[in-house]
Amino acid sequence: MTVSDQHDDLSFGIDSTATEVLAGIDLSGKVAIVTGGYSGLGLATTRALTAAGARVIVPARRTDVAREAVAGIDGVEVDELDLADLDSVRAFAERFLASGRSIDILINNAGIMATPLTRVGPGWEAQFATNHLGHYALVNRLWPALAADGGARVVVLSSGAGENPRINWDDVHFADGYDKWAAYSQSKSANILFAAELDRLGRAAGVQAFSVNPGYILTPLQRHLAKEEMVGAGWIDEEGNALLPEFRAPEQGAATQVWAATSPALAGDGGAYLQACKVAKTFDGPEDREAAERLWALSAELTGVDAFGKSE
């Protein structure tokens, strides 16, 4: 994907907005997919990308809500996708591939956090299934469109919870006792390891992948948390106002993912973990590589899809 040479400014930071990051960038003719692109960080990302000229497809489980949220934004398409349902993932990918379009940007933005114990599919823990396995299957199903034009960016939304990736290999679905934060952290760790391995596998086709920590943002992601819990953690006051000085607006939280999706300054940093529009960490050491390969193999086994292997 070719973007403007103006987009090589590394002065962006924690207070930058998605609009500022894309200032002067012409994405006309580019096709982007933003999962969950109708709410919170996703909606801010959709607005910024379309303002820069991109055509944005917003896959959504609640298509009626999504269409209402993006009404009035030019250049947006809404389609149906439930990341917790692999049949839905397959159907969305087949519809998109049938359109004959290539993908320049894929932002795996949708996610759930700290949910009560929920089982989906064949008994999978919902956070691992939705945040990781659904996106893993989506990328692999869409691989022909990502590799079609010799260059694309895949951005995987992680969090600070995944900075030191840990996968509970003996019990990834928490059959033996459930902790909502441990499960969330595992899913975010999986996002980081997935991006690192996808970048390694996809480089020959010109596809780069990055994981992103958007920082502290109050969005509907917190919908499963009681207000009392967030007050007790010091996140908000009794009126719901943000207390932590680290909290930023959704358009600031979206800045790093649009930077990851477009900046030529990142051409040599594929697989990296980004925050505040900076490369924060790389996961290319022997232990990280082993964990990333192991996660990919597990994900292929569970979902039955692997664009780089023979499973189906």
Side-chain angles (χ1 to χ4, degrees), residues 238-264:
E238 291 289 348
E239 285 68 49
N241 301 307
L243 293 178
L244 291 178
E246 294 89 351
F247 274 115
R248 294 296 185 272
E251 209 197 18
Q252 292 170 310
T256 303
Q257 56 196 47
V258 300
W259 184 69
T262 61
S263 176

Side-chain angles (χ1 to χ4, degrees), residues 36 39-42 62 109-116 127 130-131 157-160 181 184 187-188 191 213-226 230 235 247 250:
S39 176
L41 296 177
R62 301 173 297 163
N109 167 86
I112 55 176
M113 180 177 77
T115 61
Q127 295 186 80
T130 302
N131 297 350
L157 197 65
S158 183
S159 78
W181 288 112
Y184 178 67
S187 74
K188 297 290 99 178
N191 292 151
N213 174 17
Y216 290 87
I217 320 290
L218 287 176
T219 72
L221 181 66
Q222 290 91 27
R223 62 187 175 275
H224 295 289
L225 298 178
M230 291 189 284
W235 292 6
F247 274 115

Side-chain angles (χ1 to χ4, degrees), residues 31-34 37-38 46 50 54-60 63 66-67 70 73-80 92 95-96 99 101:
V31 174
I33 296 177
V34 182
Y38 62 97
T46 296
T50 55
R55 184 76 177 173
V56 178
I57 294 88
V58 174
T63 54
R67 289 192 176 95
V70 302
I73 305 176
D74 293 333
V76 180
E77 302 172 25
V78 174
D79 201 345
E80 185 175 358
F92 168 79
R95 287 193 301 273
F96 183 86
S99 75
R101 291 179 289 183

Side-chain angles (χ1 to χ4, degrees), residues 6-202:
Q6 297 176 37
H7 198 43
D8 60 358
D9 188 350
L10 296 182
S11 66
F12 302 123
I14 192 170
D15 292 316
S16 298
T17 67
T19 298
E20 290 169 348
V21 166
L22 292 179
I25 304 307
D26 183 5
L27 296 178
S28 299
K30 304 300 182 184
V31 174
I33 296 177
V34 182
T35 66
Y38 62 97
S39 176
L41 296 177
L43 181 57
T45 298
T46 296
R47 290 186 185 279
L49 291 174
T50 55
R55 184 76 177 173
V56 178
I57 294 88
V58 174
R61 184 173 56 86
R62 301 173 297 163
T63 54
D64 54 338
V65 175
R67 289 192 176 95
E68 182 177 351
V70 302
I73 305 176
D74 293 333
V76 180
E77 302 172 25
V78 174
D79 201 345
E80 185 175 358
L81 172 65
D82 182 350
L83 288 165
D85 180 349
L86 293 186
D87 288 337
S88 177
V89 173
R90 179 198 292 267
F92 168 79
E94 288 177 347
R95 287 193 301 273
F96 183 86
L97 293 176
S99 75
R101 291 179 289 183
S102 59
I103 301 170
D104 299 287
I105 298 168
L106 172 56
I107 300 182
N108 294 335
N109 167 86
I112 55 176
M113 180 177 77
T115 61
L117 176 60
T118 306
R119 300 290 178 191
V120 300
W124 296 342
E125 189 277 314
Q127 295 186 80
F128 187 73
T130 302
N131 297 350
H132 170 59
L133 291 175
H135 281 125
Y136 166 88
L138 180 66
V139 168
N140 280 273
R141 294 277 182 203
L142 290 174
W143 182 252
L146 286 164
D149 284 345
R153 293 277 179 98
V154 178
V155 181
V156 187
L157 197 65
S158 183
S159 78
E163 288 183 8
N164 296 296
R166 296 289 185 273
I167 305 295
N168 185 5
W169 300 111
D170 294 328
D171 188 13
V172 293
H173 296 299
F174 290 85
D176 186 18
Y178 177 71
D179 179 276
K180 65 183 181 181
W181 288 112
Y184 178 67
S185 180
Q186 174 178 257
S187 74
K188 297 290 99 178
S189 294
N191 292 151
I192 288 174
L193 294 172
F194 168 59
E197 185 65 4
L198 175 62
D199 186 82
R200 185 185 72 81
L201 294 172

